[in-house]
Amino acid sequence: MDFINQIEDIKQKNKDLQMKSIMINGISYDIVGFESLVDFSATWEIVEMLIRNEEEKSSETAGFHSKNTSWKKIEFSKQIQALYEGKVIIWNRTEEVSLIVDPVSQPLYRSIEVPVNESIIYGAKDAFTENSHQNIGLLRSKYQSKDIEVLTTQHGKRNRRFSFLILKGTTDEKMVEMVKKKIEDYPNEIKQVKDIHVAFGFSKFSLITRISSTELPENAMEYIEQGKIVFFMDGYPFALVLFNTVFDVFKQPSDSNYLSVFVYSLYVLRIVGIMIAMLLPGLYVALITINPEMLKIQLALSITESRQFVPYSAFIEIIIMLLLIELITEAAVRLPLSISNTIGVVGGIILGQAIVEASLVSGVLIIIIAATTIANGIIINFENGITLRLMKYIIVIFSALFGILGHVIGLVVLCSYIARITSFGVPYVRWKKEGIQSENQ
Amino acid sequence: MKHNYWKKIIIALFIVVFLSGCWDSRDINYRSMPILMGVTKDEELFHVYMIIPVSVVSEQRNLAKVDGKGATIVDAIEQLKKKIETTIDLEHIGYIVFDEELGKQGIEKMVKTFMRMRDMPSTPSVAFVKEDMNDYIEMMISTFEEVGVPIFGFLEKQTGWEIYNPEVSLWEVYRGIYSYTTDIAIPIISSNQDLATGYFGAAVLKEGKIIDTLSSMEVMLMNLLNNENVIKTFVNINDTTNVELVDRSVEYDYSFKGEEIDLTIKVEFIMIVSEADDHLTGEDIQKKFEEKMKKDMLQMIKKLQDKHVDVLGIGNRMRKNYTNAELEKFLDEIYPNINVDVEVNAVIENNGKIRNLNNDDFEDWDQQKQD
């Protein structure tokens, strides 16, 4: 009765562990499982049927049994582990063998829903969920071929599952093996995406997102076909895409559902948007503070007019406004949806109007800030948008120091920074669309 | 190792911040940006005027006059700067006007000073003023306040410029003064009660001194022979006939025959008849226009050759044939002896919206009628 004792012991500590006994044909069975993970009322039937089947089968030919569902002596620790994974154990008291069964589990995962973070107009409207099995299923339904293979590994005390998708012939399998090994070898717990960055050996202070997340199975499939490595972390409702490249800032797969001419003008628009989002605040500081001679006289005069009673220098002024906008953005994310609209109105309209009337900042700056904030939203992925949000401060600082010259220096610094970024030998700035090759190989 | 790396970055950042001197720069609202500078001489002292736009929120934009006197130009500007609370930023100066009297004495030194000054752009338009500088500035300001039009557009190509006046910027004046082979003509203007600016043709400079003036017609010919734009240019042929020039091309052909230099200027015009006598056919108009152009151009070139000034830049086109020593005397020795001939070709593109009945041949029509 060693097993029963130990179960009793665990039950003392975990009130949701259930142990139920059943007598069939004079043999008593114990059914053990976590109430919080297993739907017992639905599982009961399966269990009963299984035991009866087993009784009959054992008198008939042995051969139908699949390996997993056969009665055998299993190590106690393995059984406990199975319990925590949401399985049910059927214990035969007399023979002291057990059977591990996949039960009907509690509805712990949400169903497939419309994407929330990446809104698209034309394109598939399903989104990944927290359950990586479901996510893989979504991808398999999009690529119904034997070429898709799934590689799984588990890591850490949490026993977190990582599933890698491999498209035969396209995905670099050596690299997938290497990435998998990096995750397996990581000594600490992988809690968030940041830990994956650390496990892969990327710098924590990188301005560029190396591993991007996408919510759309359509995008993920496209990335797999481009040769990127797509993998799922259980509990994270996004596909993680290794090798985020500079192209992904301008392009997303669902663009191609539009008219081609429109798509190309869309790319141009996005490039212009990136330019505005990155350069405009810096340009303002440079032109107002250090190089006003570059403005046309009419523009110079109207800016002078709007700055008439502003007490701060342009740098302080723009930092105040940028900070305010960041606060509004972050507050709108944190707050419930119904209240975040109010934040938009209060922050954007009322504060913007009042701050100009109070002469704390100039009216021209409000236009600049508005243009910057709007342009920042045009970038494909929110993560890439964060990069731009950070980069513009560098340009603003350089512009405040050296004017237009500093503006250009800031741009050069950023360009050289971006140009030197590689992940596993694959450069961030790469113009080839298909196939990922490491430069080290 | 890693510690060292961060140390270096922090030190570099400190150096960048503390050596940049960015605290010395002033924001745009602490700078005054004069748009016009007037220079005159007052009993051996330079007298510099500036027009500065003054803008106050929700009020009309106004202009303010400031002036300063000093022994030199820079001294005068310094005196002027002392009077104003904000920094004076000369970068936005768009126009420089000199007193005409100053022009007769020579503006060489002043132009040189302006070119030397680092905070002064080399692009402002330059003109001479015929009247008293103070009156001129006052009048410009009052005109602006009454009418609100952009002042000095007259000198600027994008606003009020016409082919009858030369558009000259400071660096061109500097080039005109110091180049061996080219000279410059600067417009002479005055203020006026109305919207108009008084315009008295162009002063031809030789080594910084006014030696002659060109009438507005002559200036037009000069602009046509130089590569100026001709859109919407009307030319009077006689009292009743007028053509509009649409396009033109100029070619300078020169050949050397020993000491003699033959220069043929081939000018081609495309034009529209805008006003004509009833009895003139297209061919008549064309012929009259060609003759008139040729006569006027030859007359003007002769006048310039006599004065030893080369505002057309004829010398520029043949300077590759001479050594530097020869070029030094080019304007005085070689240039006056060039045999200049002008060939004018004109094509009438159309007759405006109506047909020129004189051009039509009515024979066929008459025959049909008889049949």
Side-chain angles (χ1 to χ4, degrees), chain A residues 158 160 189-193 195 233:
Chain A
R158 285 191 182 195
R160 199 161 205 176
E189 203 64 23
I190 293 182
K191 292 170 186 163
Q192 310 292 355
V193 180
D195 301 318
M233 180 166 74

Side-chain angles (χ1 to χ4, degrees), chain A residues 205 288-290 292-293 295-298 300-305 307-314 400-402, chain B residues 6 16-17 20 22 25-31 33-35 53 55-59 61 89 91-92 158:
Chain A
F205 299 101
I288 299 300
T289 313
I290 298 182
E293 69 272 7
L295 291 167
K296 242 180 122 66
I297 177 78
Q298 286 89 342
L301 289 176
S302 63
I303 291 176
T304 311
E305 230 167 78
R307 276 186 61 85
Q308 200 83 51
F309 303 112
V310 177
Y312 307 114
S313 70
L401 292 176
F402 304 112
Chain B
W6 280 108
V16 163
V17 171
S20 71
C22 61
S25 62
R26 299 197 184 178
D27 279 1
I28 195 165
N29 45 332
Y30 302 124
R31 305 186 190 209
M33 291 166 286
I35 52 173
S55 47
V56 180
V57 176
S58 76
E59 265 183 42
R61 207 171 275 166
D89 197 358
E91 296 282 359
H92 276 292
Q158 282 167 350

Side-chain angles (χ1 to χ4, degrees), chain A residues 33 88 103 112 157 263 289 315-316 387 400 407 418 421 430 435:
Chain A
V88 163
I112 297 165
K157 285 180 195 155
V263 174
T289 313
F315 179 67
I316 307 283
T387 304
H407 193 73
I418 289 172
I421 281 186
R430 55 192 296 284

Side-chain angles (χ1 to χ4, degrees), chain A residues 122 251-270 433:
Chain A
Y122 295 110
K251 259 180 89 145
Q252 71 171 6
S254 66
D255 284 341
S256 310
N257 293 326
Y258 294 115
L259 214 61
S260 291
V261 179
F262 177 67
V263 174
Y264 291 125
S265 28
L266 209 57
Y267 295 160
V268 173
L269 190 71
R270 282 182 189 142
K433 197 175 140 203

